[in-house]
């Protein structure tokens, strides 16, 4: 389909929902953590994969190693929103987009001005003491010179409010995401192959007839899409608002 078709689909839309993943932020310089090298553990002579490091068990057993990986590969404090984030914020401001549902934890949608953002996997910008619950901004986690950031009030371990492997997603957030997708007149899937649970299940709740998929690789829903692009999310959505 031509780009003009995407313009037409969106111009008639009043309840757009965007469902996004890592590909939405690659143009902001944030790589998919699954592409990162693992972590070599000298004590055990074992190399851990990113998925193992980002698990609840690993965090509890090796918090310093977790943070060594996390601070290097998961946090990009200098990253800025790209054309995709800006276009989505604009669609919301125009009253045509009801929610951004994202698997990303970088907070770039909010930085671009989006307000209705459902962060399924949490955010690096929220952190809390596991003992007393005191909250900390990202800067506290990055500036703490110790291998593991500790609570200034009780010395408890500070944990990012990020959903690790082996942890459950917030059911209230899931409900809100499901509701938004069920009510959507247009669903844009961007930068995700829909393989990480519960992405495919959530997206399958969409009942409308305007499904747009922008992803580098095929997704299980390609056969149902009204518009497909294997381009960058920023290029495709950014073209809606040429500067
Ligand atoms: Zn504390």
């Amino acid at each position: 389909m031509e780009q003009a078709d995407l313009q037409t689909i969106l111009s008639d839309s009043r309840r757009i929902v965007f469902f996004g993943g890592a590909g939405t932020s690659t143009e902001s310089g944030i790589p998919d953590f699954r592409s990162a090298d693992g972590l070599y553990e000298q004590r055990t002579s074992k190399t851990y994969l990113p998925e193992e490091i980002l698990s609840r068990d690993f965090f509890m057993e090796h918090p310093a190693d977790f943070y060594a990986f996390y601070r290097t590969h998961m946090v990009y404090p200098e990253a800025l929103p790209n054309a995709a984030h800006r276009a989505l914020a604009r669609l919301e401001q125009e009253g045509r987009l009801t929610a951004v549902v994202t698997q990303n934890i970088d907070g770039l949608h909010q930085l671009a001005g989006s307000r209705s953002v459902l962060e399924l996997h949490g955010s690096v910008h929220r952190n809390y003491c596991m003992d007393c619950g005191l909250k900390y901004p990202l800067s506290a986690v990055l500036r703490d010179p110790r291998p593991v950031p500790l609570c200034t009030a009780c010395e408890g371990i500070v944990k990012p409010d990020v959903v690790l492997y082996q942890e459950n997603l917030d059911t209230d957030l899931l409900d809100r995401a499901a509701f938004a997708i069920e009510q959507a007149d247009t669903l844009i899937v961007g930068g995700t192959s829909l393989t990480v649970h519960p992405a495919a299940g959530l997206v399958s709740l969409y009942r409308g007839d305007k499904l747009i998929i922008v992803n580098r690789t095929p997704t299980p829903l390609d056969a149902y899409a009204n518009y497909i692009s294997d381009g960058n999310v920023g290029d495709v959505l950014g073209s809606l608002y040429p500067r």
Side-chain angles (χ1 to χ4, degrees):
M1 267 203 221
E2 300 301 317
Q3 195 63 34
D5 296 323
L6 179 60
Q7 297 265 17
T8 306
I9 293 173
L10 292 184
S11 66
D12 292 341
S13 302
R14 293 293 175 270
R15 293 188 310 281
I16 302 168
V17 169
F18 177 78
F19 188 98
T24 309
S25 290
T26 46
E27 286 157 272
S28 294
I30 302 180
D32 188 343
F33 70 84
R34 293 175 197 84
S35 65
D37 289 332
L39 200 68
Y40 180 70
E41 234 285 330
Q42 290 196 323
R43 257 174 306 147
T44 54
S45 306
K46 193 178 171 218
T47 300
Y48 292 94
L49 297 171
E51 286 88 342
E52 294 175 276
I53 299 163
L54 298 170
S55 69
R56 176 81 181 184
D57 284 351
F58 192 90
F59 180 84
M60 299 307 288
E61 287 160 26
H62 315 276
D65 292 329
F66 172 91
Y67 267 109
F69 182 88
Y70 180 82
R71 283 165 162 157
T72 314
H73 294 292
M74 303 300 286
V75 180
Y76 296 84
E78 310 299 326
L80 293 172
N82 63 51
H85 300 105
R86 291 193 296 271
L88 292 164
R90 191 107 170 239
L91 286 168
E92 184 188 55
Q93 282 149 17
E94 291 172 0
R96 298 159 60 199
L97 179 143
T98 52
V100 167
V101 182
T102 181
Q103 299 168 283
N104 297 343
I105 57 176
D106 51 45
L108 290 182
H109 286 292
Q110 291 93 329
L111 199 54
S114 284
R115 301 175 68 105
S116 177
V117 184
L118 303 174
E119 298 171 302
L120 295 179
H121 294 166
S123 172
V124 300
H125 296 283
R126 297 187 300 267
N127 304 273
Y128 63 93
C129 169
M130 295 180 78
D131 290 340
C132 77
L134 198 62
K135 293 181 173 133
Y136 290 91
L138 176 59
S139 57
V141 167
L142 293 180
R143 281 192 208 134
D144 195 318
R146 295 168 290 198
V148 177
L150 300 177
C151 178
T152 52
C154 79
E155 298 268 295
I157 291 179
V158 173
K159 183 182 180 293
D161 188 5
V162 163
V163 180
L164 301 177
Y165 289 92
Q166 302 162 336
E167 291 181 333
N168 294 320
L169 276 70
D170 185 309
T171 51
D172 176 57
L173 259 184
L174 279 174
D175 286 347
R176 287 160 63 197
F179 182 78
I181 291 169
E182 282 169 356
Q183 302 295 317
D185 57 10
T186 299
L187 179 64
I188 307 174
V189 173
T192 171
S193 52
L194 298 176
T195 48
V196 179
H197 176 78
L202 272 177
V203 168
S204 70
L205 297 173
Y206 174 60
R207 291 183 289 219
D209 57 0
K210 292 190 277 188
L211 176 62
I212 295 163
I213 297 179
V214 185
N215 196 48
R216 308 289 301 191
T217 56
T219 83
L221 291 186
D222 286 2
Y224 306 100
N226 305 88
Y227 178 94
I228 289 192
S229 169
D230 62 0
N232 294 320
V233 190
D235 287 342
V236 175
L237 295 187
S239 71
L240 297 168
Y241 296 100
R243 289 203 271 187

